[in-house]
Amino acid sequence: MPPIGWHTGPSPLRRASFSLFLYSALTPFLRPQLARYNDRLGELEFLLSREDIMKDMTQFLALSREHTEVGAVASRWARYQEREADLSTATEMLESAGTDADMTAMAQEELDSASAELTQLEAELTRMLLPKDPDDARNAFVEIRAGTGGDESTLFAGDLARMYTRYCDSLGWKTEIMSESASELGGYKEVVLRVEGHNVYGALKFESGGHRVQRVPVTETQGRIHTSACTVAVLAEPDEAEAIKINPADLRIDTYRASGAGGQHINKTDSAVRITHLPTGIVAECQDGRSQHSNKAQALRVLTARIQEKDRSERAAKDAAERKSLVGTGDRSDRNRTYNFPQGRLTDHRINLTLYKLLTIMEGDLGDVVEALQAFEAAQQMADLELGKV
């Protein structure tokens, strides 16, 4: 498929005119929005020069971050307008070139260059204007639970934990186990990871849902393929300043003796902590810290994230009647993905993505899957934006 703005007609002049018309036709909805960025940039520069704002570090940092984001859009928009003028000039040159071969070649070269850059700039500006989930930049908790399939599902839970850990390592993100319930064969009945890094939640949020595996289990003596499943839940780590306030009277805090992998260094004292939020029944626990105090703090962070995710899910369920969720519902019963080992195939059913490199994916090469899901979200957001739904 030829790139946007490219016409395969017989005439260079016809191609140039079509390119210019196409760019003009694609952006009337976006142009007024982009023009407002220049106005906002001026406002921000004025605000950041005021002494009262410079003395308020919280406000100054917030405005500085906005200035950086707005400035990036404004500069790309200025470049877009510059190249659009170049495209118009090249079209006029081509019209007046007549039989002058040198002028025709020069005009054609500039037309091709401007057309290609405009296509790239348009894609960049479109992405910049899409609504941003404020949680995307946050750290995240990744909860993996074994489902149907007995011992095989616990082994698959271990494989998923390893896959996510290796993917995070490849991006320089830090992972730590918050809590775990190990199985006898070396997998997990349940494990909760905390991932710290840049835009962690934005990359991992679509992992929430059902993950199905098809393979011959190590416990199978007849060589038969079994199907097992795990559920994954990705929760944005709350900002302490913005986190919901939990009434201490609504909490039941239990301590117990840590055990299993990761808990050997604290298994002589009742350091592990389990916190129950009585109004909702939501439970969080942590046993990996070196003290009861640190485990309690960590468990409370996980509990807060789970309560906020519950609120988010309830809001999404209400919104779903009016607007379908971008990539699945995130419901834990969703069958989002199948890992078929005999075929070496991974299929994400939400976006009809199939990749035949399962073994490398299980080693942490998850980038293509994450990027495909993010691209699908962006396309859906753009469609909604143009229809006035966002």
Side-chain angles (χ1 to χ4, degrees):
M1 180 178 178
I4 296 173
W6 185 262
H7 180 60
T8 54
S11 165
L13 175 58
R14 183 179 174 188
R15 181 172 68 196
S17 300
F18 183 84
S19 297
L20 185 59
F21 170 77
L22 183 57
Y23 284 114
S24 298
L26 278 176
T27 57
F29 172 75
L30 299 178
R31 286 175 185 270
Q33 298 184 57
L34 290 165
R36 287 196 288 270
Y37 276 78
N38 287 328
D39 297 335
R40 180 56 180 165
L41 190 61
E43 293 173 0
L44 290 168
E45 289 172 350
F46 169 73
L47 290 171
L48 289 169
S49 68
R50 285 171 41 176
E51 288 188 14
D52 59 327
I53 289 179
M54 285 190 282
K55 292 177 181 178
D56 184 344
M57 189 54 63
T58 300
Q59 189 175 13
F60 181 78
L61 290 175
L63 290 172
S64 295
R65 284 192 293 268
E66 185 183 356
H67 182 271
T68 299
E69 294 173 359
V70 170
V73 176
S75 66
R76 304 315 286 158
W77 172 230
R79 178 61 177 172
Y80 183 94
Q81 292 175 298
E82 178 184 329
R83 296 302 277 156
E84 199 171 43
D86 292 341
L87 186 68
S88 179
T89 300
T91 301
E92 293 174 1
M93 283 181 61
L94 207 56
E95 288 176 340
S96 60
T99 58
D100 188 328
D102 290 340
M103 182 176 291
T104 297
M106 185 184 304
Q108 184 64 56
E109 182 179 353
E110 177 61 16
L111 183 144
D112 291 343
S113 173
S115 180
E117 189 173 349
L118 280 167
T119 297
Q120 179 183 346
L121 288 167
E122 185 176 355
E124 292 177 6
L125 288 167
T126 298
R127 285 195 300 269
M128 288 177 167
L129 288 181
L130 292 177
K132 294 179 177 62
D133 185 337
D135 287 337
D136 280 356
R138 297 198 187 284
N139 300 327
F141 299 109
V142 180
E143 305 179 347
I144 306 169
R145 293 182 178 85
T148 57
D151 289 336
E152 168 63 4
S153 68
T154 67
L155 292 174
F156 182 49
D159 292 339
L160 290 177
R162 181 172 178 269
M163 176 185 76
Y164 291 130
T165 299
R166 293 205 164 192
Y167 173 65
C168 294
D169 288 346
S170 72
L171 296 175
W173 296 344
K174 178 184 176 183
T175 60
E176 60 178 316
I177 294 178
M178 300 290 292
S179 67
E180 60 181 317
S181 176
S183 68
E184 294 179 359
L185 294 181
Y188 292 110
K189 298 174 184 176
E190 176 181 322
V191 61
V192 179
L193 308 174
R194 178 179 179 269
V195 185
E196 179 182 344
H198 179 65
N199 288 334
V200 169
Y201 182 72
L204 296 179
K205 62 184 178 181
F206 299 124
E207 296 303 303
S208 290
H211 293 243
R212 182 177 65 174
V213 62
Q214 296 172 330
R215 64 184 177 186
V216 179
V218 294
T219 56
E220 168 61 48
T221 59
Q222 303 298 320
R224 294 171 298 187
I225 296 173
H226 289 228
T227 298
S228 304
C230 290
T231 58
V232 175
V234 180
L235 316 176
E237 183 178 62
D239 185 313
E240 292 185 4
E242 301 175 7
I244 60 174
K245 303 303 179 185
I246 300 176
N247 186 346
D250 291 335
L251 301 178
R252 186 181 73 233
I253 302 176
D254 302 306
T255 59
Y256 60 98
R257 186 162 298 177
S259 61
Q264 291 89 340
H265 59 287
I266 54 174
N267 63 8
K268 294 182 180 179
T269 60
D270 292 339
S271 299
V273 175
R274 180 184 296 110
I275 304 178
T276 304
H277 185 242
L278 298 175
T280 61
I282 295 175
V283 178
E285 59 186 36
C286 184
Q287 62 175 327
D288 201 49
R290 293 185 177 273
S291 70
Q292 187 180 114
H293 177 75
S294 64
N295 280 328
K296 179 180 176 182
Q298 294 280 49
L300 191 57
R301 289 162 70 189
V302 175
L303 182 74
T304 303
R306 288 178 179 172
I307 293 173
Q308 290 195 168
E309 177 63 18
K310 180 177 182 294
D311 291 342
R312 179 203 292 267
S313 297
E314 289 174 351
R315 289 195 303 270
K318 293 178 181 178
D319 294 343
E322 301 176 0
R323 180 172 178 267
K324 187 177 179 181
S325 182
L326 294 175
V327 183
T329 64
D331 187 278
R332 307 301 181 256
S333 64
D334 280 350
R335 184 166 294 173
N336 293 349
R337 194 174 296 158
T338 295
Y339 303 73
N340 186 302
F341 278 79
Q343 298 178 13
R345 168 177 60 84
L346 178 141
T347 298
D348 195 294
H349 305 287
R350 296 164 294 178
I351 57 175
N352 295 321
L353 172 71
T354 296
L355 298 173
Y356 287 92
K357 58 172 191 173
L358 181 57
L359 294 182
T360 60
I361 289 173
M362 297 306 296
E363 290 297 319
D365 184 14
L366 201 59
D368 289 343
V369 182
V370 170
E371 290 170 12
L373 288 162
Q374 290 176 326
F376 184 82
E377 179 194 36
Q380 293 290 87
Q381 283 182 315
M382 191 61 209
D384 285 348
L385 195 64
E386 294 183 343
L387 291 173
K389 293 183 180 180
V390 176

